[in-house]
Amino acid sequence: QALLCGVIVMRPEDPLTFLEEKLREIMEKGIDAVLWYGCIDPSLYPNLKKISETYLNALFGLDGEQLMTEELCAKAWDFYSRNIMKLYFGGWIKYNLLKKNKRKQADQKMALAVVHYNVQILRIIIQKWSMWVQIHKEKMTLAASRLQEIFNKINLNAVLKAWHTEAHSSMKTKAYFESLAKESQKGFFDSNDLTVKHKTSHLPEKALLQIFHYVNLVDLARCAQVSQTWMLLTQNSSLWSDINFSSVKHKVQDKIVVNILQKWRPCVLRLNLRGCYSLHWPSFKSISECKNLQDLNLSECQELNDESMRLISEGCRALLYLNLSYTNITNGTLQLLSRSFPNLQYLSLAHCRKFTDKGLQYLGSGTGCHRLIYLDLSGCIQISVDGFRNIANGCSKIQDLLINEMPTLTDRCIQALVEKCQQIMSVVFLDSPHLSDTTFKALAECKLVKVRIEGNNQITDLSFELMSKCCPYLRHIHIAGCQKITDVGLKMISQLKYIHVLNVADCLRISDEGVQPFVQGSSGAKLRELNLTNCIHVTDASVTEIAQRCHQLTYLNLRHCENVTDAGIEALGNMSSLISIDISGTNISDMGLRALGFRGKIKQLSLSECKNISDTGIQEFCKGTKHLEYCHVSYCPQLTDEAVKALAFHCHKLTSVSIAGCPKMTDTCIQYLATACHYLHFLDVSGCINLTDKALKCLWRGCKQLQILKMLYCRNITKQAVLKYTAKLEKQEYNDADPPSWLGYDRDGNIPSPTNTSQSLNKQILQNEK
């Protein structure tokens, strides 16, 4: 600009001459000596300073030649001031943002502090409120307990007053009869009686009373005639708290029942009249006078009806147990139960067909049977879904449920019951073919401990899966004859920890693949009873695993497990816990039987249809055991008198023996039993064709406690001997027919050849077809 100004002010007169001069000057001085303002007048030179490339000139004062204009300084100052302003303004903005963020954070912390403070205050308030509620509950509980104590004292005083009055009356009656007895027996006892008294007096009275507790009514009356001491002992009230007329049901009459109950009515707590078909109104009237009666069994009393129950209900208000099975009661009796027995806990209505669903509705009316925990409805096929719903409405505390022999029972019945009865712990459904997995799906809401179902083709492994998931405390599983149960189901329940009883009898699909995982599972070491009857796929591998893992097993049933041999049975011989075993129909031989008797603790043994054992095996087994009580060797035609001889002379505690289907047995084996086995109660000699009347005579002399005797197909025993020697038995079965073909031998004891057998079977088939 200065140059232009200079050019404009100092415009040469002759520009060409001016240019020549300047070009000549440049050529002389050189290009470096030429300044940009050299073409103008020195007076017009601008006030410029040379700008150095460094700050050294400024520091040492050598900046005289620096070129700096005012405009540049102004621009520099503007630039500097703007930068300074921008710097400070940016710092001020940051400062304000920082303060704003701090205020925001402070507000957030304050909000959190307020929330925390409110939570703490609320927690303190809730704690104080909870303490107040707890103290209030304790005060209420204490007040309720005090009121209950007062009520119990008042009730107890009333009961004691009534009992005292009744006992005082009973004592007067007892004293009167004792005085009569003493007067009648004065001078009766001679020296022989004194000798008897002396012989029996060495036993303490408590021991004699304990012995008399196991004596039935007839024998107790006979004991009273032995001596005066025994007569007085039989009058002890403790002997008459539990009266069982069922043991003499064929002899008991109204007069006997009335006399005994009138004499001991304050003491009677339990009364059993099961099967006493000849009782009538006087007996039931006497029962009503037993005010303290708690347990009453009237099962199979044919004369019992609603009117009889009305008499009983008038006096027996304290009943806890009542059995009315196989009687003719109707809805009227059920209505009485709801009004007269508020404390009833156990009720059996099995096979009572004359009440209806409406009668069950009475159980929940009035005071009702709300405390009922046990109910037996077996055989009551007239009950429908509505009936079960009525039971659920009135008896919601049921724990034990028995519904056997009821083909009309369906899943809907159980569903209606479980809707409100969710405290059920035990269910028994024997012979109920229409139940399915749906039943167990409904029962999954209950905490089941015991399950028994039998003869059902609808139950599958799904039920076992439900049990394993929903019933962790299951202890007893009885699923017999359920053909759809497989090894998968056993594997599912192997996780349960408390199973003590497992019965899968007649479940044909069960094999080693299910038994072994179950035994190896959580319940293997706790298992006490195991039933594998007819599980034909089970082999020695499972039996060996059972012997190694089931250390508490007491009962084992391997009946008709055809693949079990001596190898498995020998492993069982090392089990110290095993008491009862059934190996009928297996391939066991004398070697396995010898090993089984090694421990000597077997009490029950069943060897029926074991074709490979002989007298030697029985002898070796008996040498090792002294505690055998139950022995069945039925349908072993190879056994002889020597086997029974070993049983009789080594096992004196035998109570039940079966040698049915053993044609080689003679009167000699019965002599052995009669000589040594004085505790024998049950004997089956059916098919023993060589027995004669002499055998019955020996039994009559030696086995005084024999109660049941079976003598089918014994053609050499006469009917006269049966009538003479078995008249006092509780039960006897007899015929003199020839042995049937299924026994495997003819009337002379000869075993026919397979050819003859097939021919005879063909003839029989042809006759059936004709």
Side-chain angles (χ1 to χ4, degrees):
Q1 292 177 358
L3 180 59
L4 291 175
C5 291
V7 172
I8 294 171
V9 175
M10 297 181 63
R11 181 176 182 180
E13 294 179 359
D14 188 0
L16 294 176
T17 305
F18 177 78
L19 290 174
E20 288 178 1
E21 290 176 358
K22 292 300 178 184
L23 288 173
R24 192 179 292 111
E25 186 179 353
I26 289 169
M27 293 176 63
E28 291 176 357
K29 295 180 180 180
I31 191 66
D32 294 332
V34 180
L35 296 174
W36 65 277
Y37 52 82
C39 296
I40 63 175
D41 190 80
S43 61
L44 297 175
Y45 284 0
N47 189 16
L48 298 172
K49 292 184 180 181
K50 186 177 179 180
I51 300 173
S52 62
E53 297 177 356
T54 65
Y55 292 98
L56 293 176
N57 293 330
L59 293 173
F60 295 102
L62 302 177
D63 54 350
E65 295 182 359
Q66 290 185 359
L67 297 177
M68 178 75 68
T69 62
E70 291 179 359
E71 290 83 358
L72 290 175
C73 289
K75 288 183 178 181
W77 172 253
D78 291 340
F79 178 77
Y80 177 75
S81 62
R82 281 198 302 272
N83 284 345
I84 291 294
M85 186 180 295
K86 184 177 181 180
L87 176 65
Y88 284 101
F89 187 75
W92 178 77
I93 290 174
K94 289 181 180 179
Y95 172 74
N96 284 326
L97 289 175
L98 182 63
K99 287 185 67 177
K100 187 181 292 184
N101 290 336
K102 285 184 177 179
R103 285 197 301 271
K104 186 175 181 181
Q105 290 177 0
D107 293 341
Q108 291 177 351
K109 290 181 179 179
M110 184 59 69
L112 289 175
V114 171
V115 172
H116 178 71
Y117 176 76
N118 292 335
V119 170
Q120 292 295 328
I121 294 296
L122 184 61
R123 182 178 297 171
I124 293 171
I125 294 172
I126 289 175
Q127 287 178 352
K128 290 184 179 180
W129 176 78
S130 178
M131 292 176 62
W132 181 86
V133 170
Q134 186 176 358
I135 294 171
H136 185 67
K137 284 184 177 180
E138 290 177 356
K139 289 182 179 179
M140 293 290 290
T141 304
L142 182 61
S145 64
R146 289 179 179 175
L147 290 174
Q148 188 65 38
E149 289 178 2
I150 295 171
F151 174 77
N152 291 338
K153 288 180 180 179
I154 295 173
N155 192 22
L156 184 60
N157 287 333
V159 171
L160 287 175
K161 285 181 181 179
W163 178 82
H164 182 268
T165 304
E166 195 68 28
H168 186 65
S169 174
S170 178
M171 286 177 64
K172 287 184 178 180
T173 305
K174 180 180 177 181
Y176 173 73
F177 282 107
E178 286 180 354
S179 63
L180 289 179
K182 288 180 180 179
E183 290 178 2
S184 63
Q185 294 194 6
K186 281 183 179 180
F188 177 76
F189 297 101
D190 53 9
S191 58
N192 294 330
D193 295 319
L194 294 175
T195 304
V196 172
K197 181 179 179 181
H198 175 73
K199 289 180 179 179
T200 58
S201 62
H202 71 280
L203 286 175
E205 289 187 3
K206 289 184 179 180
L208 286 172
L209 285 174
Q210 195 65 27
I211 293 172
F212 288 158
H213 273 100
Y214 295 95
V215 177
N216 61 36
L217 293 175
V218 175
D219 292 335
L220 197 62
R222 291 172 180 167
C223 291
Q225 299 175 7
V226 172
S227 66
Q228 187 177 17
T229 304
W230 280 29
M231 185 194 70
L232 294 176
L233 284 174
T234 57
Q235 302 300 314
N236 191 291
S237 59
S238 64
L239 295 175
W240 301 97
S241 63
D242 187 351
I243 302 178
N244 184 8
F245 288 106
S246 178
S247 59
V248 289
K249 59 186 177 182
H250 300 296
K251 302 177 182 179
V252 67
Q253 299 292 332
D254 286 327
K255 184 178 180 180
I256 299 174
V257 175
V258 170
N259 290 337
I260 292 177
L261 293 183
Q262 284 185 350
K263 184 176 181 179
W264 301 106
R265 60 183 183 272
C267 307
V268 180
L269 299 177
R270 292 173 292 276
L271 181 61
N272 187 352
L273 294 166
R274 181 174 183 175
C276 298
Y277 53 84
S278 57
L279 300 185
H280 300 84
W281 184 87
S283 296
F284 301 127
K285 180 63 177 175
S286 299
I287 295 173
S288 67
E289 296 174 358
C290 301
K291 307 293 184 180
N292 298 320
L293 189 62
Q294 296 180 4
D295 186 346
L296 178 60
N297 190 340
L298 297 172
S299 176
E300 302 177 32
C301 291
Q302 298 178 0
E303 300 299 325
L304 183 71
N305 52 34
D306 294 341
E307 183 62 24
S308 306
M309 283 303 303
R310 187 189 63 79
L311 288 174
I312 295 172
S313 65
E314 291 176 356
C316 303
R317 299 279 180 166
L319 271 183
L320 299 176
Y321 305 80
L322 180 60
N323 190 339
L324 300 176
S325 57
Y326 294 95
T327 57
N328 296 320
I329 62 166
T330 65
N331 292 342
T333 294
L334 297 185
Q335 191 172 9
L336 279 174
L337 295 180
S338 65
R339 294 186 313 206
S340 305
F341 305 113
N343 298 319
L344 196 64
Q345 296 181 7
Y346 294 79
L347 176 62
S348 176
L349 300 174
H351 298 277
C352 297
R353 303 288 178 82
K354 294 188 177 181
F355 69 86
T356 62
D357 294 339
K358 184 178 180 180
L360 294 173
Q361 191 173 2
Y362 292 133
L363 294 179
S365 62
T367 55
C369 299
H370 303 301
R371 298 186 181 182
L372 207 63
I373 61 176
Y374 175 97
L375 181 61
D376 187 355
L377 296 174
S378 301
C380 299
I381 58 176
Q382 74 277 15
I383 304 177
S384 66
V385 178
D386 293 334
F388 283 97
R389 189 172 289 110
N390 292 337
I391 295 172
N393 292 332
C395 312
S396 60
K397 295 183 180 180
I398 292 177
Q399 297 179 9
D400 296 330
L401 181 65
L402 280 77
I403 313 179
N404 300 329
E405 301 177 24
M406 195 166 174
T408 57
L409 189 65
T410 62
D411 295 329
R412 290 182 59 201
C413 299
I414 305 302
Q415 288 173 335
L417 187 65
V418 175
E419 284 180 2
K420 295 186 178 180
C421 297
Q422 297 188 355
Q423 299 183 25
I424 296 176
M425 300 175 63
S426 172
V427 292
V428 182
F429 303 131
L430 304 184
D431 297 324
S432 298
H434 298 297
L435 296 182
S436 68
D437 296 328
T438 306
T439 290
F440 286 96
K441 190 177 294 184
L443 290 170
E445 300 179 7
C446 308
K447 302 301 180 183
L448 290 180
V449 175
K450 178 180 178 180
V451 173
R452 292 194 67 193
I453 187 166
E454 190 172 305
N456 186 291
N457 291 328
Q458 305 294 326
I459 301 295
T460 67
D461 293 331
L462 178 59
S463 296
F464 274 15
E465 183 179 1
L466 293 169
M467 291 179 200
S468 64
K469 291 181 180 179
C470 305
C471 307
Y473 300 103
L474 204 59
R475 297 165 61 92
H476 186 123
I477 299 179
H478 179 110
I479 308 288
C482 299
Q483 303 298 328
K484 292 187 178 181
I485 298 297
T486 67
D487 294 330
V488 177
L490 283 186
K491 290 179 182 178
M492 289 177 179
I493 62 173
S494 63
Q495 303 173 1
L496 298 175
K497 299 180 180 179
Y498 305 102
I499 298 179
H500 290 173
V501 178
L502 177 65
N503 188 332
V504 289
D506 300 317
C507 295
L508 303 181
R509 298 185 182 184
I510 298 295
S511 67
D512 293 341
E513 294 182 1
V515 176
Q516 290 184 7
F518 174 79
V519 173
Q520 295 168 359
S522 303
S523 296
K526 300 174 184 177
L527 197 64
R528 294 180 182 175
E529 297 184 17
L530 179 61
N531 193 332
L532 299 172
T533 299
N534 284 328
C535 295
I536 56 177
H537 300 295
V538 173
T539 66
D540 292 332
S542 293
V543 179
T544 304
E545 197 71 27
I546 291 169
Q548 292 176 353
R549 302 219 177 236
C550 303
H551 304 300
Q552 297 186 25
L553 192 67
T554 58
Y555 171 82
L556 178 61
N557 194 329
L558 299 172
R559 192 178 187 89
H560 296 300
C561 293
E562 301 171 354
N563 293 315
V564 174
T565 63
D566 290 337
I569 302 302
E570 286 177 359
L572 295 176
N574 296 320
M575 296 184 66
S576 59
S577 62
L578 197 60
I579 294 176
S580 175
I581 184 169
D582 188 343
I583 46 179
S584 303
T586 61
N587 290 319
I588 183 177
S589 66
D590 294 340
M591 185 180 299
L593 195 57
R594 183 188 301 111
L596 190 61
F598 174 71
R599 289 282 181 179
K601 292 189 177 181
I602 301 293
K603 291 185 179 180
Q604 297 183 356
L605 176 67
S606 182
L607 297 169
S608 301
E609 303 178 59
C610 290
K611 307 299 182 182
N612 297 327
I613 64 169
S614 64
D615 296 338
T616 305
I618 301 293
Q619 290 169 349
E620 293 294 330
F621 174 83
C622 292
K623 288 179 182 178
T625 182
K626 306 294 181 183
H627 305 287
L628 197 64
E629 298 176 3
Y630 175 104
C631 184
H632 282 202
V633 290
S634 308
Y635 313 112
C636 297
Q638 68 277 13
L639 297 183
T640 66
D641 295 338
E642 294 299 318
V644 179
K645 180 180 178 181
L647 286 171
F649 286 96
H650 289 284
C651 309
H652 301 298
K653 297 180 180 180
L654 281 172
T655 60
S656 178
V657 174
S658 175
I659 53 175
C662 298
K664 296 182 180 180
M665 299 294 178
T666 66
D667 293 338
T668 305
C669 73
I670 303 300
Q671 289 179 350
Y672 292 142
L673 290 175
T675 302
C677 301
H678 301 297
Y679 303 105
L680 200 63
H681 289 173
F682 173 89
L683 179 62
D684 188 354
V685 294
S686 300
C688 297
I689 56 176
N690 293 319
L691 297 185
T692 65
D693 296 346
K694 183 179 178 181
L696 294 186
K697 188 175 182 180
C698 292
L699 288 174
W700 180 72
R701 288 179 177 177
C703 299
K704 299 295 184 180
Q705 297 189 26
L706 190 65
Q707 297 176 3
I708 301 175
L709 177 60
K710 294 185 178 181
M711 305 165 287
L712 302 177
Y713 317 117
C714 295
R715 59 189 183 87
N716 290 323
I717 295 178
T718 63
K719 191 173 183 179
Q720 292 76 9
V722 172
L723 294 174
K724 180 179 180 181
Y725 295 115
T726 65
K728 295 183 179 181
L729 295 181
E730 184 178 320
K731 182 180 179 181
Q732 58 91 7
E733 297 180 12
Y734 163 76
N735 66 40
D736 56 356
D738 290 336
S741 58
W742 53 264
L743 282 178
Y745 54 87
D746 58 18
R747 66 191 310 271
D748 296 322
N750 299 319
I751 300 176
S753 62
T755 305
N756 294 335
T757 304
S758 61
Q759 290 177 356
S760 62
L761 288 174
N762 291 333
K763 290 181 180 179
Q764 187 173 1
I765 292 171
L766 290 173
Q767 290 177 357
N768 292 335
E769 289 178 352
K770 290 179 180 180

